[in-house]
Amino acid sequence: MNLNNVEYLCSATSPSDYPRHSLPEIALAGRSNVGKSSLINQLVNRNKFAHISSKPGKTQTLNFYNIDDVFSFVDLPGYGFARVPDEVKDNWAAMIEEYLFHRSNLAGVILIVDSRHKPTDDDLMMYEWLLEMQLSHLVVGTKVDKLSNSQLKPNREQIFNKLRIESQTPFTYFSAKKGTGKNEVWNFIKEITS
Ligand code: GTP
Ligand code: MG
């Protein structure tokens, strides 16, 4: 992968809009505004490839990207944003569920949590879905540039405790700002797409 050929494919709200390709897909899941789109941009070395929100809840569709014809990123709508009507929330959950439970291209999921805070009940539900479906996954604690060195160990423990993660589960801290953890995320992607 030389990342010379990265392109936006399409946005979808239902399976009939999903791209018809045979690429393995890596989905990015996480709360609204956690940094899903920023993680994609950092990985492909672009500033404005995946759309970054100024307001939480911006990504309300599944957005598909082709990465060098090797795999496809799927930026999922962020969950857990409080200031939207319940019917919109239900709609998001249904969209995410439909994709995760039925998409045969799905090869793995990167679950992104905010490293500064305790994961939410929504994060736990998402993590439990991944286990239930036995999907390959990587948990990423993002925005680590905002943590002091002394917070690294306790905050990691907070994430592991809330999600009830087994110690052998792959985890990495990440910063879309500084590029921390980029190699770890790429290693996970390469492992499941090769
Ligand atoms: P939705 O599409 O609304 O679900 O949001 P998202 O998860 O795609 O988040 P997005 O990438 O749009 O980032 C949200 C905000 O967090 C933006 O202001 C980013 O600049 C900021 N942000 C994302 N990642 C990092 C990071 O690693 N460090 C810092 N300091 N800020 C970050
Ligand atoms: Mg986004």
Side-chain angles (χ1 to χ4, degrees):
M1 258 178 295
N2 52 24
L3 301 176
N4 285 336
N5 178 25
V6 297
E7 55 170 358
Y8 164 78
L9 288 172
C10 64
S11 298
T13 53
S14 70
S16 57
D17 307 327
Y18 297 169
R20 284 167 232 283
H21 60 203
S22 53
L23 297 178
E25 291 172 353
I26 310 271
L28 287 308
R31 298 191 71 206
S32 183
N33 216 37
V34 74
K36 297 176 292 299
S37 304
S38 302
L39 180 141
I40 294 179
N41 285 335
Q42 172 59 254
L43 287 184
V44 302
N45 307 319
R46 308 282 200 283
N47 284 330
K48 293 180 182 157
F49 179 58
H51 194 91
I52 309 280
S53 338
S54 46
K55 290 191 195 122
K58 190 91 182 176
T59 313
Q60 302 193 5
T61 51
L62 289 89
N63 298 327
F64 292 79
Y65 302 92
N66 176 357
I67 310 299
D68 277 348
D69 289 323
V70 174
F71 73 96
S72 175
F73 271 133
V74 184
D75 198 359
L76 298 176
Y79 50 79
F81 179 51
R83 270 182 289 148
V84 296
D86 279 350
E87 64 214 58
V88 177
K89 277 189 210 162
D90 291 348
N91 203 1
W92 288 354
M95 260 195 287
I96 295 171
E97 234 180 300
E98 168 67 45
Y99 175 81
L100 288 180
F101 280 87
H102 301 296
R103 179 67 165 168
S104 59
N105 300 57
L106 180 58
V109 178
I110 298 175
L111 173 61
I112 306 173
V113 298
D114 191 325
S115 63
R116 295 170 297 177
H117 310 297
K118 189 174 167 182
T120 64
D121 290 341
D122 287 329
D123 291 324
L124 177 60
M125 189 180 81
M126 180 61 73
Y127 183 68
E128 286 178 340
W129 276 353
L130 304 182
L131 294 184
E132 190 185 322
M133 289 179 284
Q134 300 185 313
L135 282 165
S136 298
H137 57 272
L138 172 70
V139 179
V140 170
T142 198
K143 306 194 185 181
V144 69
D145 52 279
K146 297 198 178 196
L147 294 191
S148 65
N149 280 340
S150 65
Q151 289 174 302
L152 293 176
K153 194 164 177 277
N155 286 32
R156 187 183 197 274
E157 278 169 12
Q158 179 169 255
I159 294 167
F160 273 55
N161 288 340
K162 172 71 191 189
L163 300 182
R164 301 187 210 112
I165 294 180
E166 310 275 335
S167 59
Q168 67 271 23
T169 294
F171 170 84
T172 184
Y173 273 128
F174 186 83
S175 166
K177 208 169 173 185
K178 303 230 167 114
T180 318
K182 203 168 160 174
N183 287 342
E184 284 76 4
V185 179
W186 269 122
N187 287 342
F188 167 76
I189 293 169
K190 284 175 185 158
E191 222 170 83
I192 61 173
T193 57
S194 60

